[in-house]
Amino acid sequence: MMLKSSFALAAAALVAMAPIAATAQEAETAAPARKVYDPINYNLNEDLENILFLDLSNGERVGVRLMPSWAPNHVERIKTLARQGFYDGVIFHRVIDGFMAQTGDPTGTGQGGSELPDLEEEFNPMPHVRGTVSMARAASEDSANSQFFLVFYPRFSLDKKYTNFGRVISNMDAVDAINRGEPPANPTRILQASLASENKIKPAAAPAIMSDAPVTADDLNAPIEN
């Protein structure tokens, strides 16, 4: 009799546990897949749709690898604005030595942006190392629009607070040569921003404005006119 009772209790326990096991299995099946952050491809001849060229007024072309797996919406915004010619002629309005160079504001004041809506943040674990290209924003985490910055020197305090969406993969020396200041007295400009897939020719840097007339001793000694 006791044996029958033990079998009955064991069967009841199995029935009671079955829904719990099934629920746990369903939860495991429904768990979201872990996000994968692709490694950076430094080859300028591959995946041309995700290479941004910045042709600067210092005569240099900078190559930036855009990383859709890190921040898909931010990458798409940069591509959209580049195709529109939005960044052409825009200055680097905030350039801090040992930190970063910021651009993307057509007003050159740091207060402007595009007419497109602001973006929701896409913070990710990718570190802000030298050559990082990240989106600038205001106080709100969801206020990035068109401005971005290129990092001169690692600044890990920015990680998971600003959306890291790319990396300089060509000509970091040209980034280092961007004129400093807030704003610079003679700001470096983006003459043309384009995707490598567009195969646009690099524009010539603007020449310095000089007079063809020779300078004489009389010119140097002439009084300054008001």
Side-chain angles (χ1 to χ4, degrees):
M1 190 71 180
M2 290 180 61
L3 187 59
K4 290 183 178 179
S5 298
S6 298
F7 283 140
L9 289 172
L14 289 173
V15 172
M17 291 175 61
I20 298 175
T23 302
Q25 186 176 9
E26 289 173 1
E28 184 178 350
T29 302
R34 184 177 179 182
K35 186 171 176 60
V36 175
Y37 298 97
D38 292 338
I40 299 163
N41 182 352
Y42 289 88
N43 192 327
L44 286 172
N45 297 312
E46 295 179 355
D47 192 14
L48 302 185
E49 186 66 18
N50 285 308
I51 295 177
L52 177 71
F53 284 140
L54 300 176
D55 294 315
L56 307 183
S57 57
N58 59 18
E60 299 291 335
R61 167 169 279 189
V62 175
V64 174
R65 172 65 67 185
L66 303 175
M67 301 299 297
S69 71
W70 298 4
N73 294 329
H74 284 68
V75 166
E76 189 57 38
R77 171 61 55 86
I78 295 295
K79 289 181 178 182
T80 296
L81 293 177
R83 291 189 185 103
Q84 292 176 355
F86 176 86
Y87 292 116
D88 298 357
V90 174
I91 69 169
F92 284 87
H93 64 271
R94 183 170 179 248
V95 187
I96 303 174
D97 199 30
F99 182 18
M100 59 88 208
Q102 186 169 331
T103 186
D105 173 13
T107 71
T109 65
Q111 304 299 314
S114 76
E115 295 181 353
L116 298 175
D118 291 345
L119 295 164
E120 292 185 8
E121 57 87 1
E122 291 180 304
F123 300 157
N124 55 66
M126 309 312 295
H128 283 72
V129 297
R130 174 171 164 79
T132 286
V133 187
S134 190
M135 212 70 171
R137 63 174 175 82
S140 169
E141 293 183 345
D142 300 326
S143 58
N145 186 285
S146 65
Q147 295 189 41
F148 61 92
F149 58 93
L150 293 78
V151 177
F152 294 130
Y153 191 79
R155 193 62 66 100
F156 301 127
S157 60
L158 304 180
D159 295 355
K160 299 182 181 180
K161 297 178 182 177
Y162 292 81
T163 298
N164 183 342
F165 67 87
R167 183 79 60 81
V168 174
I169 60 171
S170 174
N171 207 357
M172 187 64 193
D173 287 345
V175 177
D176 290 334
I178 293 172
N179 293 336
R180 271 57 168 172
E182 298 183 72
N186 181 28
T188 303
R189 294 180 177 272
I190 299 174
L191 297 183
Q192 177 179 268
S194 64
L195 299 177
S197 58
E198 297 178 291
N199 198 29
K200 289 189 176 181
I201 298 173
K202 184 176 75 171
I209 299 175
M210 300 180 65
S211 172
D212 293 330
V215 178
T216 66
D218 291 336
D219 292 328
L220 296 175
N221 294 325
I224 298 175
E225 295 180 359
N226 294 327

